[in-house]
Every structure is written in C-alpha cells, then in structure tokens.
Amino acid sequence: MRRILRNIVHFARERRALCGTLAVILAAAAILAAVNAPAVVGASAVKRSLPVYSVERDGKYVSLSFDAAWGNEDTAELIDILGRYGVKATFFLVGEWVDKYPESVLALAGAGMEVMNHSDTHPHMAKLDMDAISAEITACNDKIEAITGTRPTLFRCPYGEYDDHVIDTVTALGMTAVQWDTDSLDWKGLSAGEISRRVLDNVQPGSIVLFHNAAEHTPEALGGIIESLLADGYTIVPIGSLLLKGEYTIDHTGRQHAG
C-alpha cells in the first residue's frame, strides 16, 4: 500500500511539472507571436512610405538609370553609346563625385541626360536624423545646380537603404525618391552576357533598370540591351518622363499607379 501511495504522489508531481513546462512554452509562443506580428491600426496594417520602384503606364516604357558614386572610368563611353541610339537616361550623382568630376557632370547635362541626386557623401541615410538627411540632399542639389543650371527633382538612396523618415524627408523637400525593379548587378563584375540576361529576363513595362557608371562590363552590355529593348517595342525614356504626374498611389511593391 505504501508503495502505491508513493507512486501516486510521484505521478502527481511529474504531472504538475509537465503542466508548468507547457505553460511556459505556450506563454513564450504567445510573446513571440505578438512581437513578430505586423503592427496594425484597427483592422489594417500601418502604411509605409515607399519610393517608386516601377510605374504603371499605358504602353511599353522603360527607364535606364546609372549611379555614380566613386569611379569615372566609363561615363564618356556611356554617353556615346546612349547617344548612338538616341536614348536619354537618368544619372544619379553623389555630391563628392560631382566635386571630383565637374566636367563629366557638364557632359551628362549637355548630352540631354537627367542629372539627379544620390546624396552628398553616400551615407546610410536611415541612420541619420531628418536634419542630416535634408543637409545631404540639399548639398548635392546645390552642387549639381551650380554646374548644370537645373536643380534635381529625383533622389536615389545610397545602398538602396531607406525607412519611412528618409522617404518622408525627401518628399518634404519637394523631391521624389526612386529605386529600381530591375538590377543589372553590374557592380559585381558580371560578364556582359550575364548583365544582359539579368536585365532582359526581368524587365517589364514601366521598369526602372539600375546600372553603374564605373562597372567593368556595363559599356560592353549596354548597346545590346538597348537594341533588344527597342526591338521588343519598348520606348526608353528618362525617369522624369516615366513617372506619373498629378495624383497617384504607390502599392506595396513600390509600383506607381494613377489616381
């Protein structure tokens, strides 16, 4: 009888311990679910401030863009290739690059390219407060305007990094933040063929394509990409001409829509 009573007591203790462990596990799971759940207001998720990645347009329009932050090996050649096909592209320049290569800035503007803002020193913008973000953008705008006579209206975040307060600051300055939906990855040293395949396999009507002005094989790839796009019925325009005017919305993918 004593043995039976001991077994009953032992079983009861184990059951209480197991229940306690399960309670801890369930509580931890509830906490993780609450932390990882999207923030909501009422019944809908909080809306983010987004840059434009692509544009919903009637017809097959596409924009080619080039970021210039450090080197200047290929700028003149890129201008020549674009000019050969009568194509106008958008170049996003860092202010420090403008300081080093003012003659290239003037050449881009003289060739009819859009010359836009890529910050003054290429920092991680999301780590800056609103005053510092504004100072970065304004300094670059001032430098470009001093050379070209035209003040930039578009901004591309360095490293493609942003958060709501970055985009909201850009908008407050009367500018439009622009990303891309087709990345050539030319900065990785890809071959001309790989660059071409990445662009042509991913481009769609309304796309914004990202290149760099000092990537090793971009000039080699660019002519064939332009020829293929034109043969496929695309009209290539600078980003300022691709963007919608007036009232528009930006969906969760960064695609700009009318209305």
Side-chain angles (χ1 to χ4, degrees):
M1 178 63 71
R2 290 177 181 173
R3 182 180 297 174
I4 294 172
L5 289 173
R6 282 198 302 269
N7 288 341
I8 291 172
V9 171
H10 181 68
F11 174 75
R13 287 174 177 172
E14 285 188 340
R15 185 174 180 181
R16 285 197 299 270
L18 178 60
C19 291
T21 301
L22 287 173
V24 171
I25 293 172
L26 290 173
I31 292 170
L32 286 173
V35 169
N36 292 320
V40 294
V41 176
S44 61
V46 173
K47 185 177 180 181
R48 289 198 61 197
S49 298
L50 293 173
V52 177
Y53 283 75
S54 65
V55 182
E56 184 69 40
R57 289 280 303 269
D58 293 331
K60 298 179 71 172
Y61 292 91
V62 64
S63 290
L64 307 182
S65 66
F66 298 81
D67 288 358
W70 294 284
N72 193 34
E73 294 87 337
D74 303 324
T75 306
E77 186 176 1
L78 293 172
I79 291 172
D80 289 343
I81 295 169
L82 292 164
R84 192 183 312 151
Y85 294 96
V87 168
K88 306 302 182 188
T90 304
F91 284 75
F92 289 93
L93 312 183
V94 169
E96 291 180 343
W97 190 91
V98 174
D99 292 334
K100 291 179 182 178
Y101 309 109
E103 70 288 346
S104 292
V105 180
L106 196 58
L108 287 167
M113 306 299 163
E114 277 190 335
V115 180
M116 295 296 172
N117 190 318
H118 195 33
S119 80
D120 193 45
T121 65
H122 207 269
H124 295 276
M125 301 293 280
K127 295 182 178 180
L128 306 180
D129 62 27
M130 296 184 74
D131 288 341
I133 294 168
S134 179
E136 278 282 334
I137 295 171
T138 299
C140 184
N141 277 346
D142 290 345
K143 291 175 181 181
I144 291 173
E145 184 177 21
I147 294 172
T148 68
T150 302
R151 197 165 186 80
T153 57
L154 307 179
F155 175 74
R156 173 167 285 164
C157 296
Y159 309 104
E161 296 177 358
Y162 63 89
D163 60 13
D164 286 4
H165 91 286
V166 173
I167 304 305
D168 290 343
T169 303
V170 174
T171 302
L173 291 171
M175 302 179 71
T176 301
V178 175
Q179 292 281 91
W180 59 87
D181 70 336
T182 303
D183 191 346
S184 69
L185 292 182
D186 56 354
W187 61 273
K188 287 189 170 183
L190 300 183
S191 69
E194 290 172 315
I195 293 170
S196 298
R197 281 191 295 274
R198 280 196 57 82
V199 172
L200 298 175
D201 287 350
N202 291 288
V203 74
Q204 61 175 323
S207 280
I208 297 171
V209 184
L210 172 65
F211 298 102
H212 294 80
N213 75 309
E216 186 177 1
H217 298 294
T218 300
E220 183 184 350
L222 184 58
I225 290 172
I226 292 173
E227 289 178 5
S228 294
L229 290 172
L230 295 175
D232 198 27
Y234 279 95
T235 299
I236 304 173
V237 297
I239 295 173
S241 298
L242 180 71
L243 295 177
L244 299 170
K245 306 300 188 291
E247 295 294 322
Y248 64 82
T249 60
I250 299 176
D251 67 23
H252 69 283
T253 69
R255 191 163 178 84
Q256 189 186 44
H257 301 268

